[in-house]
Amino acid sequence: MEKLPAQMTVVAISKPGGPEVLIPETRDLPKPGPGEILVKVAAAGVNRPDVAQRSGSYPPPPGASDLPGLEIAGEVVALGDGATKHKLGDKVMSLVAGGGYAQYCIAQDAQAMPVPEGFSMLEAGATAETLMTVWHNVFERGGLVAGETLLIHGGSSGIGTMAIQLAKAFGAKVIVTVGSQDKADACIKLGADHAINYKTEDFVERVKEITKTGAELILDMVGGDYVEKNFDAAAVDGRIVQIAVLNGPKATINAAKIMVKRLHYTGSTLRPRTNEAKAAMVANIEAKVLPLLKSGKVKPLMDSTFPLEKAAEAHKRMETSAHIGKIVLAV
């Protein structure tokens, strides 16, 4: 292995604010602790929580790096005590609690996964966060099974495009909501059965027309007034999983609809979960989902790539909501 430098380039949040507060700076190289690995980062995914952290509304959990960046791909260059899953030189992709916008990043050994054959490092850097979010919320928490209908809001997002592919791979029917025709076309190309333009159509009425009985599972990252609309779009005994609240965290609802339809309304955030919980998710993914990635049946849809130093430009791109798929930083 090459001798590691004492310092590295990172992109830090100078103060809460817009994309312009993302500033390259130099920091000391982190050292892996027990159960950790140090990864020389080749690519880091850009995600909505990074934008929220930059704006000051999503602080990192205790003990996590103050740097943004929740998923990385790269090469293992140092091992902490007890790190036995990976060895030096391994190419890995991993969810991290923070610190991804850097040349080197600490990851939990048990949460890192091998880069699938046929994946570029940029594709690998766009995979871990969406893969774990979708697997946990759609399959573990949402309980999607073959033959059911999944309604995905934000179908052309990184999470949405991953959810389309995984749901179809496991035999479900997929309806997405999108905001433009090019996003609808991209989702249909990935395998979605129907794409509803929420700007020109009432998604509740369209879901009822398509399914006759409503969607068995709804994955929602919008929140706000979509909460009540989801109750209307869901089937009897349907499940709704909230993973973000882009339209706001508050909603006025008719709670009687939950009783009448026997709905299950739940949600989760991934970042604050324990390392043990995340490692368990990874173990399930490695057993049940990685074969789909290795076979080429599932891959992240890539929108755009920016150099690490241009992270502010990547955030500007995300905030336009014009992207289709994943935005990635090349390190």
Side-chain angles (χ1 to χ4, degrees):
M1 298 297 297
E2 63 185 71
K3 190 174 185 298
L4 298 179
Q7 294 185 311
M8 63 177 181
T9 298
V10 308
V11 170
I13 301 170
S14 59
K15 61 182 179 181
E20 70 280 355
V21 305
L22 294 172
I23 304 295
E25 63 179 50
T26 299
R27 291 195 181 181
D28 291 338
L29 219 65
K31 295 181 180 180
E36 296 178 342
I37 57 177
L38 180 65
V39 178
K40 183 179 182 181
V41 180
V46 176
N47 295 288
R48 288 283 181 183
D50 303 344
V51 174
Q53 180 176 335
R54 188 208 73 220
S55 67
S57 61
Y58 191 48
S65 170
D66 65 318
L67 298 175
L70 300 180
E71 63 180 340
I72 59 168
E75 180 182 354
V76 178
V77 293
L79 304 172
D81 291 341
T84 58
K85 180 179 177 182
H86 298 97
K87 63 183 185 299
L88 298 179
D90 282 357
K91 301 294 193 298
V92 298
M93 58 186 188
S94 185
L95 186 81
V96 293
Y101 290 17
Q103 291 178 314
Y104 293 83
C105 182
I106 295 290
Q108 292 289 321
D109 186 40
Q111 292 174 34
M113 296 174 274
V115 173
E117 295 176 17
F119 269 51
S120 69
M121 294 306 286
L122 290 175
E123 289 172 325
T127 297
E129 194 269 348
T130 50
L131 189 60
M132 291 182 69
T133 298
V134 171
W135 177 255
H136 176 62
N137 289 289
V138 172
F139 295 93
E140 293 182 339
R141 184 168 292 274
L144 185 69
V145 297
E148 291 188 324
T149 295
L150 168 66
L151 170 62
I152 306 167
H153 294 303
S156 62
S157 66
I159 287 172
T161 52
M162 178 62 73
I164 292 169
Q165 295 178 75
L166 286 182
K168 294 302 294 182
F170 284 95
K173 300 172 185 176
V174 175
I175 303 171
V176 299
T177 61
V178 294
S180 67
Q181 188 59 48
D182 59 338
K183 291 182 176 182
D185 293 343
C187 290
I188 295 296
K189 187 175 180 180
L190 278 179
D193 298 281
H194 301 274
I196 302 167
N197 187 332
Y198 64 83
K199 293 181 179 179
T200 59
E201 299 179 280
D202 182 328
F203 80 78
V204 174
E205 293 305 314
R206 285 289 292 126
V207 168
K208 289 179 178 179
E209 290 173 9
I210 293 165
T211 64
K212 310 305 180 190
T213 57
E216 283 82 11
L217 179 62
I218 300 174
L219 183 68
D220 183 29
M221 58 189 76
V222 181
D225 62 351
Y226 270 44
V227 176
E228 171 105 6
K229 292 178 180 179
N230 288 334
F231 294 169
D232 294 330
V236 172
D237 288 316
R239 293 94 65 201
I240 302 158
V241 184
Q242 198 78 48
I243 59 169
V245 286
L246 297 178
N247 275 10
K250 296 184 179 181
T252 300
I253 64 166
N254 179 352
K257 294 178 181 179
I258 299 176
M259 298 184 292
V260 171
K261 282 190 169 182
R262 303 187 298 276
L263 299 176
H264 299 259
Y265 182 40
T266 184
S268 76
T269 56
L270 190 54
R271 194 178 193 183
R273 298 293 295 274
T274 65
N275 287 329
E276 292 75 15
K278 293 175 188 175
M281 290 180 210
V282 167
N284 281 330
I285 288 169
E286 288 180 324
K288 300 173 182 177
V289 184
L290 276 190
L292 296 172
L293 276 65
K294 292 177 180 178
S295 70
K297 290 182 179 179
V298 175
K299 264 196 172 186
L301 182 64
M302 306 296 284
D303 175 82
S304 51
T305 303
F306 297 82
L308 176 64
E309 293 79 4
K310 296 290 182 67
E313 297 301 316
H315 276 224
K316 289 178 183 177
R317 171 70 177 164
M318 174 157 280
E319 290 187 312
T320 68
S321 293
H323 62 289
I324 299 176
K326 292 288 293 192
I327 301 170
V328 179
L329 301 177
V331 182

